[in-house]
Amino acid sequence: MKLTATLLRPIMYACLALLAAALASCEETEQTNTEYDDWCNRNNAYFAERMAEARAAVAQAKAAYGDDWEAHCDWRTFRSAAKATDPAAPAAVTDSICCKVIDRGTGTGFPFSTDSVRVNYVGRLMPSASYANGYVFDHSGLYATDDYVFNPDLSTPARLLVSSTVDGFATAVQHMRIGDRWKVFIPWQLGYGATEKNSIPAYSTLVFDLQLKGFARAGYATK
């Protein structure tokens, strides 16, 4: 079953409205060098495009497969728990993250915000003039290449407290099963915000290639 123009039109209008709202949120005090010129607006546009792609794919899968849509769609969207205090209130695009499934795990259960997790990951900024795949600002293990980080014979998973990570990262990992590997897109409002963090400029969308290897809960054996 394909989405008709009637069904797609509201999705497109909603995505355009989300993009307009995001672009209006920038301040004029950001960095303005060659690499990061107009960084806030560019990041807002980049994230809004990813979210629009995710929402359109999810809507199409739900229309075609109903409750079984997740088995036929590689995109997910999740609203931050910190932004969902009033579920009835309309959500802004920057209240949520979007994730694209790379590998599907077979584990059971999900980490809680109070758990620790073992994860393989590579964290990047959005693509830019000097970094076609995005500047790598952090990674687990010794080397940043995907062949190393996600190789089960070479990787060294990082152990992190879910509550110690940025809101968008914590939101993603709490929806993952052991073995899941996702590409996670986090708006700057759920990342490091309007403040520069080490090599991460202010207003940066964070893009994590993230794999959940295990989690531990106080009083229970590590999974």
Side-chain angles (χ1 to χ4, degrees), residues 76-172:
R76 306 284 187 268
T77 65
F78 302 108
R79 190 176 183 184
S80 162
K83 301 290 185 180
T85 52
D86 182 4
V93 65
T94 54
D95 287 349
S96 301
I97 62 171
C98 55
C99 311
K100 190 168 187 179
V101 176
I102 300 173
D103 291 319
R104 297 171 187 259
T106 57
T108 59
F110 304 92
F112 294 162
S113 62
T114 52
D115 291 345
S116 63
V117 292
R118 291 189 300 108
V119 290
N120 292 324
Y121 69 91
V122 178
R124 292 181 170 89
L125 303 182
M126 62 168 273
S128 61
S130 299
Y131 301 94
N133 294 321
Y135 170 74
V136 176
F137 62 81
D138 195 12
H139 59 88
S140 59
L142 296 176
Y143 306 105
T145 62
D146 289 359
D147 288 344
Y148 179 86
V149 171
F150 300 103
N151 185 321
D153 296 323
L154 301 175
S155 63
T156 307
R159 185 180 294 274
L160 305 170
L161 289 173
V162 175
S163 59
S164 71
T165 64
V166 296
D167 196 354
F169 190 105
T171 298

Side-chain angles (χ1 to χ4, degrees), residues 11-221:
I11 296 173
M12 291 188 293
Y13 289 159
C15 292
L16 289 173
L18 291 171
L19 176 59
L23 292 176
S25 67
C26 292
E27 305 228 350
E28 297 298 324
T29 57
E30 59 182 287
Q31 303 175 60
T32 55
N33 61 38
T34 303
E35 191 69 27
Y36 302 118
D37 185 45
D38 200 26
W39 189 243
C40 177
N41 283 324
R42 286 164 54 201
N43 275 266
N44 281 340
Y46 176 77
F47 179 76
E49 289 168 1
R50 301 291 79 71
M51 180 60 81
E53 182 180 1
R55 288 182 172 177
V58 169
Q60 186 169 1
K62 286 182 176 180
Y65 301 104
D67 292 342
D68 194 38
W69 71 270
E70 289 186 341
H72 303 275
C73 181
D74 289 336
W75 282 98
R76 306 284 187 268
T77 65
F78 302 108
R79 190 176 183 184
S80 162
K83 301 290 185 180
T85 52
D86 182 4
V93 65
T94 54
D95 287 349
S96 301
I97 62 171
C98 55
C99 311
K100 190 168 187 179
V101 176
I102 300 173
D103 291 319
R104 297 171 187 259
T106 57
T108 59
F110 304 92
F112 294 162
S113 62
T114 52
D115 291 345
S116 63
V117 292
R118 291 189 300 108
V119 290
N120 292 324
Y121 69 91
V122 178
R124 292 181 170 89
L125 303 182
M126 62 168 273
S128 61
S130 299
Y131 301 94
N133 294 321
Y135 170 74
V136 176
F137 62 81
D138 195 12
H139 59 88
S140 59
L142 296 176
Y143 306 105
T145 62
D146 289 359
D147 288 344
Y148 179 86
V149 171
F150 300 103
N151 185 321
D153 296 323
L154 301 175
S155 63
T156 307
R159 185 180 294 274
L160 305 170
L161 289 173
V162 175
S163 59
S164 71
T165 64
V166 296
D167 196 354
F169 190 105
T171 298
V173 79
Q174 288 179 81
H175 289 88
M176 299 178 78
R177 299 180 187 275
I178 294 173
D180 279 345
R181 179 180 169 189
W182 295 352
K183 191 169 186 178
V184 181
F185 299 88
I186 301 172
W188 58 264
Q189 292 87 345
L190 300 182
Y192 292 108
T195 303
E196 181 178 353
K197 178 73 171 181
N198 299 326
S199 60
I200 304 173
Y203 307 109
S204 289
T205 298
L206 307 180
V207 184
F208 282 96
D209 192 337
L210 174 63
Q211 181 182 45
L212 179 63
K213 299 294 289 183
F215 62 92
R217 191 161 295 155
Y220 294 84

